[in-house]
Amino acid sequence: MESSVQSETSIADGAPRSTSERKAERLAILASLRQEMEYLNTIGKRFVAAFDRFQVHRALLETLQDIYSFSACCILLKSEPYQLFIIPCYPLNPTFLETMIKRIASAAQALDFLQINAQQLARTAYLDAPDNLARNYRETGHLAGPEIGSSLNIPLTVENRIIGMLSLFDEKKGTFDTDMLRWTTMIADYAAIALENVSLRERENALWREAELERQRLELIITSMAEGLLIIDSTGTIVKMNSAAQRLLSQAQLDSQDNVPLRTLARTGDVPWLPRLSKIVEAALKGKTVTNQELVVGTSGESVPLTLSIGASPLHDASEPHATPIGVVAVLNDVTSIKQIDRMKDEFVSVVSHELRTPLTAIKGYTQHLVRRIERRLRKISPSSTQVADPPENYDLRSLNIIQSQTEHLERLVSDLMDLSRVQWSTLNLHFETFYLADLLSDLVRSVQASAEQHTIRIEILPSDTSVTADRERIGQVVGNILDNAIKYSPQGGQITVRLSGQGEDYQVSVIDQGVGVSPEHYAHIFERFYRVHNTASHQYTGIGLGLFVARAIIEGHGGQIWFDSTPGRGSKFHFTLPHTPRPPES
Ligand code: ADP
């Protein structure tokens, strides 16, 4: 290194130098390097200290003024739309200003600023006047222009990417010495990095502001929601609840500040419904979406206690939607008024069905009496007598038979409605006795087959012993109902199979038909009261949608289960299990 410096110096000067001369030369170079580094350090510090766009402008102006005396410095940024900042050193003549903007536009065009427009730039240009500008003017009375003597344009680049352009203008000629170009470019580089940092910070701040605004908006929505809202973390602790939730759950005095998981509160507290709420939350924490869960949070002394319908959904991390939930969001709806209407409806149905029973019994009794009288009279008319072949009594008898069958239909409806009330008020008292299930099924099949000529009813009894302790009449009602449905919903006839099989401690009864079937969207509702897939309005099927509701209550009252599977257009299979001896219903 040293020798190469020496030979270069020798060739340039044409004469060898002494050691002391070389040393002096090296010291001079070092001194100038140190000076340069110190200067660079000063510049660096100025730009690093600049926190916003305008402080960068000041740092730039100050640094450029160290090396030149000029009229104005301009920064054009390649943002969308382009932004032009004019930083004058002293007030500018309007013609000077106008020409300056035109020159900036044409220099920028050459530097690949697409479709830049001088008029537009002039309209949006920002005059960033330093604080001392007015004072300078008052003191000197100096106004730059109108002519531009010299100008200099330097691209502002960050990592080889042009982010803008720096332009310097002066009214005098020859201001921007090419000797200083290296320094000006270096200053421009510092300014470019500082401006890029500012715009990154501005963008970050804007994002924060937006996020904060969004948070406030969400907070407002949550607070003003009529529904109660609970936000629960992965440990099952309530972290947020709105005022509606606070009001609805006031009995438990829950507080999101307590930091205690619901399951602990449920275990240690004496609020009767907390364990159920905790169970719902635990299910959602396992990833299950829970809907329409009823929670009675009022006291039983009230005519209709405060009742909530709860829905709880797992919250998943957006980046890991299949991972374990990070929390739960639960929505609480006050359904007390619906319960109140339900209760009034139930009371009405209960009263009406009881009231209908008395006149029905009378109609039935008197019709039977009349039928017997006419039958007696008809028997007295001898077929060999000369009287008419079809006596009027025959017509009367046919009419009475119709009254009888319609009365029976009405009686079945009334008895379904009364059963509904019994299920609602939990007064469906079951009377257990021991009998053979096979006998009951055979009797039922025989009687149903007698009135269903279009269908063939097959019976399959698989277990050898079919002894069971159950409510014979009620189980007969369940099978009769399912069999009636199998016939009703197989309008083309076909085969119906009643199968009795054994399943450990339980019997299983299945009724299989080849009828219209049920489509999947109805599966979850078919055992609900008054639910009908095949409505009377759109189809010819009579019924009020209570048979399966009551059937489920009867089977569950025995500790069994009832379910079905079906293929639309191909048929349905209804099954229920019945324990050999009744057992408490599964909760
Ligand atoms: P309904 O008196 O209307 O028959 P149910 O409670 O017995 O009331 O049945 C409820 C609904 O389930 C019926 O309306 C019908 O749409 C459907 N359903 C019941 N059994 C069958 C079946 N075997 N095939 C097709 N649909 C059925």
Side-chain angles (χ1 to χ4, degrees):
M1 175 86 181
E2 213 168 274
S3 65
S4 95
V5 170
Q6 186 186 19
S7 72
E8 272 172 29
T9 323
S10 309
I11 289 161
D13 295 354
R17 294 194 183 157
S18 68
T19 316
S20 61
E21 272 174 334
R22 281 208 306 272
K23 200 171 166 190
E25 205 171 288
R26 254 207 322 267
L27 282 175
I29 291 171
L30 274 176
S32 113
L33 254 178
R34 191 174 301 124
Q35 227 177 352
E36 240 179 61
M37 280 171 74
E38 272 170 13
Y39 183 56
L40 280 177
N41 198 17
T42 316
I43 302 176
K45 276 186 190 156
R46 269 184 203 155
F47 281 104
V48 166
F51 203 70
D52 64 20
R53 181 170 302 290
F54 301 102
Q55 287 175 7
V56 175
H57 296 174
R58 297 295 160 276
L60 179 65
L61 198 66
E62 202 179 327
T63 311
L64 289 171
Q65 279 175 328
D66 283 348
I67 53 176
Y68 305 115
S69 147
F70 54 93
S71 310
C73 140
C74 303
I75 294 165
L76 175 65
L77 288 182
K78 217 175 185 185
S79 50
E80 184 56 55
Y82 296 138
Q83 282 178 289
L84 176 64
F85 296 91
I86 299 169
I87 313 148
C89 297
Y90 39 82
L92 308 172
N93 177 299
T95 325
F96 185 95
L97 201 64
E98 207 180 307
T99 324
M100 207 169 73
I101 293 173
K102 274 189 198 146
R103 288 220 196 161
I104 290 172
S106 66
Q109 220 152 29
L111 207 73
D112 101 350
F113 278 62
L114 301 173
Q115 290 167 353
I116 194 153
N117 178 323
Q119 275 115 19
Q120 208 162 347
L121 270 191
R123 267 201 301 279
T124 56
Y126 184 92
L127 193 71
D128 177 13
D131 299 337
N132 56 2
L133 194 71
R135 201 185 59 230
N136 282 351
Y137 180 58
R138 267 198 311 278
E139 282 168 9
T140 60
H142 186 80
L143 195 66
E147 293 293 316
I148 292 180
S150 39
S151 65
L152 176 68
N153 297 301
I154 297 176
L156 291 169
T157 53
V158 175
E159 289 170 351
N160 291 334
R161 186 166 45 87
I162 298 179
I163 65 150
M165 187 177 79
L166 168 69
S167 306
L168 299 177
F169 295 93
D170 193 32
E171 49 190 329
K172 294 188 291 295
K173 281 196 169 38
T175 304
F176 305 111
D177 188 343
T178 44
D179 286 354
M180 296 310 278
L181 204 58
R182 186 172 74 90
W183 281 107
T184 323
T185 312
M186 209 145 51
I187 294 166
D189 285 346
Y190 273 108
I193 291 168
L195 285 169
E196 181 75 346
N197 284 343
V198 165
S199 72
L200 282 176
R201 211 172 299 136
E202 280 174 354
R203 237 173 294 157
E204 196 177 309
N205 285 346
L207 282 177
W208 269 110
R209 268 199 305 278
E210 214 171 289
E212 176 57 19
L213 220 69
E214 195 55 40
R215 196 192 62 77
Q216 285 175 5
R217 226 184 339 241
L218 214 66
E219 184 89 32
L220 197 73
I221 293 172
I222 289 174
T223 329
S224 48
M225 264 172 75
E227 291 84 8
L229 189 92
L230 297 178
I231 297 178
I232 295 140
D233 69 10
S234 60
T235 67
T237 307
I238 297 178
V239 286
K240 186 156 193 63
M241 66 195 295
N242 66 356
S243 44
Q246 240 148 13
R247 183 173 42 77
L248 293 172
L249 304 179
S250 60
Q251 195 194 14
Q253 294 184 332
L254 298 173
D255 193 337
S256 51
Q257 311 295 318
D258 285 352
N259 229 359
V260 183
L262 269 176
R263 74 180 82 82
T264 313
L265 290 174
R267 222 181 21 245
T268 54
D270 56 357
V271 180
W273 44 264
L274 260 185
R276 188 161 152 70
L277 178 64
S278 158
K279 218 168 149 187
I280 293 169
V281 168
E282 294 296 326
L285 273 175
K286 287 191 184 115
K288 213 171 139 198
T289 300
V290 188
T291 53
N292 293 333
Q293 292 298 306
E294 238 170 57
L295 191 69
V296 180
V297 297
T299 55
S300 55
E302 299 160 36
S303 73
V304 178
L306 178 61
T307 309
L308 307 180
S309 164
I310 303 189
S313 315
L315 279 175
H316 289 284
D317 190 337
S319 57
E320 286 178 281
H322 300 297
T324 325
I326 53 164
V328 168
V329 58
V331 179
L332 321 172
N333 270 297
D334 183 352
V335 290
T336 316
S337 50
I338 299 174
K339 287 276 134 196
Q340 211 149 10
I341 295 169
D342 265 0
R343 198 189 179 102
M344 282 162 68
K345 201 170 67 191
D346 293 345
E347 278 169 2
F348 173 77
V349 167
S350 165
V351 169
V352 168
S353 50
H354 269 97
E355 289 301 312
L356 280 174
R357 220 162 63 133
T358 321
L360 261 179
T361 315
I363 295 171
K364 209 176 149 191
Y366 283 109
T367 318
Q368 208 157 17
H369 172 73
L370 285 175
V371 167
R372 278 201 206 110
R373 265 181 60 174
I374 293 175
E375 279 174 348
R376 263 201 311 274
R377 214 179 301 157
L378 274 171
R379 270 198 299 275
K380 279 189 197 151
I381 301 170
S382 136
S384 58
S385 75
T386 51
Q387 285 165 13
V388 280
D390 190 12
E393 282 83 355
N394 265 348
Y395 176 78
D396 293 347
L397 191 61
R398 280 197 296 275
S399 307
L400 283 170
N401 282 339
I402 292 172
I403 295 177
Q404 252 180 340
S405 90
Q406 291 302 320
T407 313
E408 273 165 21
H409 182 59
L410 207 59
E411 213 180 12
R412 272 198 304 278
L413 286 181
V414 169
S415 123
D416 274 353
L417 288 174
M418 285 177 64
D419 280 346
L420 164 73
S421 303
R422 288 190 188 110
V423 174
Q424 313 276 37
W425 307 113
S426 306
T427 54
L428 191 75
N429 299 325
L430 300 171
H431 303 286
F432 300 123
E433 58 184 296
T434 303
F435 60 95
Y436 289 107
L437 200 48
D439 290 351
L440 174 69
L441 296 181
S442 308
D443 287 353
L444 281 165
V445 166
R446 209 172 306 122
S447 98
V448 173
Q449 179 71 85
S451 55
E453 289 151 11
Q454 251 195 308
H455 299 80
T456 319
I457 311 179
R458 256 168 30 118
I459 179 157
E460 291 175 7
I461 308 285
L462 303 180
S464 48
D465 180 12
T466 66
S467 151
V468 69
T469 302
D471 186 322
R472 192 177 201 279
E473 200 179 316
R474 289 293 189 187
I475 296 299
Q477 181 185 344
V478 171
V479 179
N481 225 311
I482 300 178
L483 253 177
D484 280 350
N485 279 349
I487 289 165
K488 188 160 65 171
Y489 298 110
S490 311
Q492 309 302 330
Q495 182 165 291
I496 293 166
T497 306
V498 177
R499 182 180 300 144
L500 173 62
S501 52
Q503 263 209 350
E505 291 294 291
D506 292 357
Y507 292 112
Q508 180 173 322
V509 178
S510 305
V511 177
I512 303 152
D513 67 51
Q514 299 168 334
V516 293
V518 178
S519 46
E521 70 267 26
H522 302 289
Y523 283 8
H525 306 288
I526 212 154
F527 291 100
E528 286 170 10
R529 62 190 174 147
F530 300 121
Y531 193 84
R532 307 203 63 222
V533 180
H534 308 96
N535 255 316
T536 320
S538 53
H539 300 84
Q540 295 307 312
Y541 310 119
T542 56
I544 53 172
L546 280 181
L548 290 179
F549 172 75
V550 175
R552 183 171 65 177
I554 295 172
I555 294 301
E556 287 179 353
H558 283 81
Q561 282 180 326
I562 186 165
W563 73 99
F564 79 104
D565 45 84
S566 182
T567 313
R570 304 273 302 273
S572 312
K573 294 178 188 168
F574 279 79
H575 316 272
F576 68 83
T577 54
L578 194 62
H580 293 180
T581 48
R583 67 166 162 255
E586 287 179 17
S587 58

